[in-house]
Structure formats: C-alpha cells, structure tokens
Amino acid sequence: MRSDANIAGPMTDPVPGPRTESLGEGVSRETPPPMDDTPIGRSAQLAVEALGRAGEGLPRPDRTRVMVVANQKGGVGKTTTTVNLAASLALHGARVLVVDLDPQGNASTALGIDHHADVPSIYDVLVDSRPLSEVVQPVRDVEGLFCAPATIDLAGAEIELVSLVARESRLQRAIQAYEQPLDYILIDCPPSLGLLTVNALVAGAEVLIPIQCEYYALEGLGQLLRNVDLVRGHLNPELHVSTILLTMYDGRTRLASQVAEEVRTHFGKEVLRTSIPRSVRISEAPSYGQTVLTYDPGSSGSLSYLEAAREIALRGVGVHYESQHAHTSNQNNRQNISEGMQ
C-alpha cells in the first residue's frame, strides 16, 4: 500500500536502497531504511526543523521597518518575495503588514485575502483617504501577519492621484496614522515607476530589490536607482536601498552563477548571502491561496525564505548605520550598472 505521508513534498521516484518484502514465515529481504533516509521522510524532517527554527524568534526592530519591494522589470519575483518574506518574519514572531500596491492583487491572492471589487482596499486609502485600519485584514494561516489588499480599482489610481493634494505622500500619511504596533511593513509595488511606486518610495525607508538570476537581470535597475535618489533628495531623505535578493537561482547553470557574481560585484554588502532557488513549490503555493511556508514547509524555497528573513532581521540591528553606507554605495553603483548594460 502506498504511504500517504506526502505532507511536505511531491511524490518522487523511489531511491535505490534496501526494502522490506515479506516472502513468508522466516523468509525476508533486507531491513527497511530509517524514515529520514527516504525522500518523503527527509522532506517531513526538514519541515519540522524549519518550523522549529521559525519559532525561535529574532531580535525585533526598535521601530517599524517599512520596506519597499520594487523592480520595474516584471517577472523577477517581487510579489513572491514580499509574501514569503512577510510570512517568514511572522513565523519568527514578528508582526508584519503586507501592503498590496499592485492592481493585479497577486499578493492578496497569495495570502488568501478576498479582494473583489467591493472589498475595502488600499485604493480607498490612497484616493478617498480611508483609514488604513479599516482595510487591513488578518492572514488566516499565519499569526501576526496582516494584509491591506488591492482591488482592480487600483488600476485607475495612477490617473486619479494626479489631481489630488500631496499625491506622492498619501500612503506615507496613512501608515503614520496607523496605530496598531508593527515590526515590519512590506509594500509590494507594481512593475512600473508611476505614482503608486512613488507613494511606496515616499512611505518607506528601505528598498528591497529582487533580482532574478537570468539574462538582462540588471536591465532597468539604473533607472530605479535614479528614482530612489530623486525621492530621497526631494521627498524622503531616509530612503535607501538596503537589501538585494537573488531569486530564481538555478545552481545547475553557469548563467545563474555569473549573474550572481555580477550582482554581488555591483552591490556588495547589500546583497543577501541567501539566494532563492527556482522552485515549483514556490510557484504552486499562490494557486492555493498560501505562501510556500504553509504550503510546503520543508521545501528548498521555504527554507531559503526563512533564512533570508533571518538575515534581514539580523541586519536590522544596524539599519541606521547601513543607511549612510547604502547612500554612498547607490551613487557609485548607478554608473557601474549603466556601463554594464551597454
């Protein structure tokens, strides 16, 4: 009878090794391997270890860290990174809010949050000045994780914001007026550099840029860094690029290693040591309204996001010092990236 213990990963082909097969009284083959020597057993063991590590807790920031997840290049893992880092931080004991600023609402979907047209959403906050507390919903599967959802109405917000007073700082004001205690706010931006992204950059202090380990990975980053500089110079002096996360890393390819090396050369210490592997489980999780942390805790993707969240939390202890370093580093990197793309 096939085992139904596949709770932490897909069924895989059996691995060569000893088996048990009864051939009658007094006749048997080799003894069975220990449970943790099988693919399913290893996945289950990893799941237990991952959840155990997540529960250890991490140092909490002395004030709310507002992190803008941005990259105008599509398909680099912005939403995936936002929701899985948020879930990882929450599993580590932090209180985390995800602000979904993408009209597609993919972050809301991945967190299992209802976001049809009639649901109070971040659109109402930006355009109608509705209090953020009235649109925030708790995420069902992860304690301490919350979401301000996006609806399709947000698609028209770029145009509607143009005529409003203080159009670039409406999200910042909403976050400042939010009274519930939070350790982290992660803002998922659309793949563009319009007013929605500018609102995020004005509201945040840190920019987290996911970069996929693919050809043309650095294309367009020069413009994003220039926008960060502009917002810092005119609207938000605290803004800086604090974190670069390598995503969709495939260690079997030379290209992935070359891209990773190039990114580390350009950005130095801003790049997390942990990279996120290309993973079917990460891709599957949103279709079930889950993050990979709850969908498959023992997967390589889940473990990677847990480790990345740990790095981010530990780095936060020195976030004020890194701000000045990042400001100087970003100015140097803009020229390097532009030259590298030519």
Side-chain angles (χ1 to χ4, degrees), residues 16-22 27-35 37-38:
R19 296 181 176 281
T20 297
E21 184 178 337
S22 177
V27 182
S28 64
R29 296 273 175 95
E30 297 179 56
T31 56
M35 178 61 178
D37 280 348
T38 66

Side-chain angles (χ1 to χ4, degrees), residues 82-83 86-87 96-100 107-108 111 145-149 184-188:
T82 302
V83 298
V96 187
L97 171 63
V98 171
V99 176
D100 190 352
S108 306
L111 294 173
L145 181 57
F146 305 88
C147 177
Y184 297 88
I185 298 175
L186 272 64
I187 306 174
D188 184 33

Side-chain angles (χ1 to χ4, degrees), residues 8 95 104 107 123 133 135 140 153 161 188 196 199 202 237 246 273:
R95 289 177 59 85
Q104 297 177 82
Y123 168 85
S133 58
V135 307
R140 183 179 62 254
D153 293 335
L161 284 170
D188 184 33
L196 291 176
N199 260 271
V202 172
L246 294 166
R273 293 188 302 274

Side-chain angles (χ1 to χ4, degrees), residues 224-234 330-331 334:
L224 173 59
L225 294 178
R226 281 190 289 274
N227 279 30
V228 169
D229 279 345
L230 285 171
V231 171
R232 179 173 49 240
H234 297 281
N330 292 342
Q331 289 180 322
R334 283 203 316 278

Side-chain angles (χ1 to χ4, degrees), residues 45-57 91-92 297 306 310:
Q45 188 173 356
L46 285 172
V48 172
E49 291 175 359
L51 292 176
R53 283 216 310 271
E56 289 174 7
L91 286 172
H92 278 304
L306 280 169
R310 177 179 293 273

Side-chain angles (χ1 to χ4, degrees), residues 148-159:
T151 61
I152 193 62
D153 293 335
L154 200 57
E158 294 272 6
I159 297 173

